[in-house]
Structures are given as C-alpha cells and as structure tokens.
Amino acid sequence: MSKASYPQNYRLPAEFEPQEAIWLSWPSNKESCPKTYHKLQDKFGEIASTISRYERVRINAPMLSHMNIRLSIADNEGDLSQVDIYEHNTNDVWCRDHGPIFIKHNETGKLAITDWEFNAWGGKFPPWDLDNAIPEKAAAALKMERFTSKMILEGGAIETNGKGTLLTTEAVLLNPNRHGGKPGNKAEVEKELKAMLGVKDIVWFKKGIEGDDTDGHIDDIVRFIREDAVICMVEPRDSDPNHKVLKEIREKLDDVRAPDGGKLEIIEIEMPQAIEMKDWRLSRLPASYANFMIMNNAVLVPIFGQKKKDAAAEDKIAECFPGREIISMMAKDLVTEGGAFHCISMHQPK
C-alpha cells in the first residue's frame, strides 16, 4: 500500500543499529556487466553466504536463477535457512541505490519503506525501469507501508547517524541530471529529505571522489560508526586529485555536531592507491575502504590487493567496531563495475 502523504513521526535509522536483513540484487543482466558477469556471480555467492552467517539475506532475482543462487550460497557454506529469494527482476546490481530505504516509527518501532525515483545516476545506464520498481515490490513482499516521493534519490547518496543528522553531496543531490536538466533547489531538496526521512540537520559536502559513476556518493567518503563518530577517507598525496576534495570534507566535519552538541570523533583512513584501468569506461576506479557493509556482529571490508594500505584500513575499521568481526574480502571485480560492498547492499533495520 502506498501513501501519497508524508510519514509522520518516523526516523531514518543508522546502519550500525540492529538489522533484520540485508537486501541484494543478484547480477542477472549480462548487458549491464558483460566483461565481469561471471566473476560477479561468484562474488555475490561469496557475499550472500557471508551475510547469511550473521543475519537474513533477501535477494532480488529472476525466477530462472533462484536454484543457481541457492547452489552458489551452499557452495560457499552459507546458511540457506537465512536466505529469502524474491522473483524481482532488476536491470543492475546496485541495491543500495535502487532498493527500499527503510524508516522506523519513533514510538511503535514499526518499519515503513520510502520509495524514491531512480534514474540510473542521472540517466547514465539505461534501462532502469526494473530497478526503479524494486521498493514497491519489496513493500508488497514484506506487506509494509510505502511512502512515495517524486524526487530522485539513491541510498548511497545519504549517510545518517540515526539521530537526525544526514550527510550528502551537492554534486549528486543538486545535479541537473537528477532534476530534469535544471540544477536542484537546495531548500526544496532539504524539505523533501526532512519530510520523508525525519532528519533534522543536513550537512552538504561539495563533491565526491574521482572515477565515481554516481557523480560523488557520500558512502565512498564518510560513514557513521556511532551516532557521534565517523570514518573519513583522506588522501595524503597532494598530487592526487582526491587530495583537495577529501581535505575540504575532513575540515568541514570539524563543524558537524554530535547529538549532544559536542564535536564528532573523526577517524581518518587513507585511500587505497589509485587503481587505473586501461580501455575501460572508468580510467580510474572509485576504490575506497569506506564502502564497507555493516552487519549484525560483523563488518565486511573491501580490500584491493594493496598489502600495507589494506592492512592499515582493516586495523582502523576493527578499532571502530569493537565486538564485531572484521571480514576482509577482495573487491576489485566489483569496483571495476563502479562500487563495492555498501553499494550492492541495502540494510533492513530490525
């Protein structure tokens, strides 16, 4: 059931809060990733089985592939009793961006789904009609209330502490390609985010990292690990194009307030070395350690085959999540297509 009205007394929970499940959209459209299609199938089997050891995994996939998905998860020693597969066809795998964005009622704790428009990051990768239909299908499958918005929004473009603060970038949310060719109106965008997601403070950064198809999603740069602490990516080499962008973001974070009015704790992690690709649509891949996936009792951390940098990032992320197991997994095949573990997953709060 869809509501044209705005949700009342709901909030956008943080990812580090208890989760019911993680949603994935299985790679099923060879045209969206012709060169990496089979590698991605294997990688998704590995990822889904990892999630299944900690919580439910809910998968959007065409009927024909359901059997193979179960086999793949079983081959990777996943827990099939924790796997729900829905006959939901998709154009692409980026569930963070086209999946349902869940909100939670402040008093009853009841969940609802917010359903925004999706246009494949400003019309870059047509078609996207199947992806845009996923939140509605998820709401039907879960028998959940659904609130719709005409605004274009991807889940990877927003980051919250669950206490009313939302981080985002102007390069995405005000981009003319998300607003019918005209620059977005900041006041209108803020109004819609506040009305739909129950957030109070919106912190705008200018832009994102190099090579990012999305125009600069926040989930490659800054992530909340607690309501009063963030991980922030930094690039020490000033010759690198990300150096200045990340430095500005890091400096701006000093002005962001924690819920108690104090300063945020800011944990800096160095970016991986640039991964360059020859003869590829991305000359540089948007590789970032910030694109980790938080699960109940675990964190799935992307690594890129750079021993020193990978190890330093793993150590810092482990310090940020005491009591959660840190699972490192090679993310090069995924990032070749433009994202990592956070980009392919959407968490459903408890």
Side-chain angles (χ1 to χ4, degrees):
M1 33 185 198
S2 166
K3 285 256 171 138
S5 59
Y6 286 113
Q8 301 299 318
N9 203 14
Y10 278 85
R11 72 179 179 95
L12 180 65
E15 208 172 323
F16 51 73
E17 294 180 45
Q19 297 178 2
E20 175 70 31
I22 282 181
W23 285 75
L24 301 173
S25 293
W26 205 266
S28 55
N29 171 16
K30 205 166 181 176
E31 275 158 34
S32 72
C33 49
K35 288 187 174 164
T36 55
Y37 182 69
H38 294 293
K39 281 183 180 170
L40 284 189
Q41 300 276 333
D42 296 343
K43 187 52 82 178
F44 268 69
E46 193 185 344
I47 292 163
S49 60
T50 302
I51 299 168
S52 75
R53 291 177 209 131
Y54 297 92
E55 62 191 87
R56 293 205 83 71
V57 55
R58 300 199 153 129
I59 297 169
N60 302 310
M63 197 43 136
L64 277 172
S65 59
H66 290 198
M67 196 55 166
N68 281 339
I69 290 171
R70 290 189 184 282
L71 288 170
S72 175
I73 293 172
D75 283 347
N76 281 283
E77 293 170 18
D79 178 354
L80 283 173
S81 71
Q82 289 287 82
V83 179
D84 305 315
I85 310 180
Y86 300 93
E87 190 181 355
H88 297 166
N89 292 2
T90 58
N91 306 103
D92 213 333
V93 299
W94 310 109
C95 196
R96 175 66 50 183
D97 293 345
H98 63 236
I101 297 176
F102 294 91
I103 51 175
K104 191 171 186 172
H105 195 273
N106 285 320
E107 280 153 24
T108 63
K110 188 176 76 131
L111 291 183
I113 280 172
T114 64
D115 179 359
W116 307 73
E117 290 300 312
F118 175 76
N119 74 344
W121 314 280
K124 292 188 185 78
F125 303 102
W128 52 79
D129 54 316
L130 299 173
D131 286 350
N132 194 27
I134 288 296
E136 184 174 357
K137 289 182 169 170
L142 298 171
K143 299 182 172 54
M144 251 180 219
E145 203 168 344
R146 177 173 68 100
F147 295 95
T148 58
S149 172
K150 290 272 180 281
M151 190 173 109
I152 288 168
L153 178 71
E154 303 104 32
I158 54 172
E159 176 69 16
T160 188
N161 63 352
K163 290 280 193 261
T165 301
L166 184 108
L167 313 178
T168 191
T169 58
E170 294 178 11
V172 176
L173 257 56
L174 304 182
N175 199 310
N177 65 17
R178 308 297 205 279
H179 296 278
K182 300 187 295 292
N185 177 308
K186 193 183 257 189
E188 282 172 19
V189 170
E190 286 208 358
K191 195 175 158 198
E192 189 71 0
L193 290 170
K194 287 173 178 177
M196 287 290 289
L197 302 174
V199 293
K200 297 188 273 291
D201 303 309
I202 298 174
V203 180
W204 293 89
F205 302 111
K206 285 272 184 287
K207 54 186 256 190
I209 61 170
E210 288 289 303
D212 185 352
D213 280 325
T214 71
D215 301 311
H217 272 179
I218 192 71
D219 66 356
D220 271 334
I221 309 162
V222 185
R223 300 282 306 281
F224 278 105
I225 57 157
R226 298 193 310 271
E227 61 189 45
D228 59 355
V230 292
I231 279 173
C232 176
M233 297 307 297
V234 293
E235 177 49 74
R237 288 168 309 184
D238 50 15
S239 59
D240 190 293
N242 284 327
H243 172 79
K244 188 166 172 277
V245 176
L246 294 175
K247 186 168 184 270
E248 280 174 14
I249 289 171
R250 170 64 190 84
E251 284 165 3
K252 185 158 186 180
L253 280 169
D254 283 331
D255 303 329
V256 180
R257 291 284 153 252
D260 66 0
K263 280 194 162 209
L264 284 183
E265 185 186 342
I266 301 163
I267 295 99
E268 296 181 5
I269 295 183
E270 282 190 18
M271 288 287 280
Q273 305 266 337
I275 304 175
E276 311 281 350
M277 288 288 277
K278 285 196 171 36
D279 310 322
W280 189 247
R281 66 183 166 80
L282 302 170
S283 58
R284 174 176 180 161
L285 302 182
S288 168
Y289 297 115
N291 210 273
F292 52 80
M293 179 201 301
I294 303 176
M295 298 174 270
N296 292 335
N297 303 321
V299 183
L300 184 58
V301 177
I303 53 172
F304 304 101
Q306 304 178 10
K307 247 184 166 154
K308 252 174 96 171
K309 292 254 186 183
D310 289 351
E314 288 162 0
D315 289 349
K316 286 238 173 142
I317 293 170
E319 281 169 33
C320 292
F321 292 102
R324 287 189 213 237
E325 204 172 325
I326 301 296
I327 304 155
S328 301
M329 195 184 285
M330 181 56 79
K332 238 169 168 174
D333 292 335
L334 264 180
V335 91
T336 301
E337 290 300 336
F341 305 136
H342 192 253
C343 297
I344 60 161
S345 61
M346 178 52 88
H347 61 290
Q348 177 180 336
K350 256 215 178 2

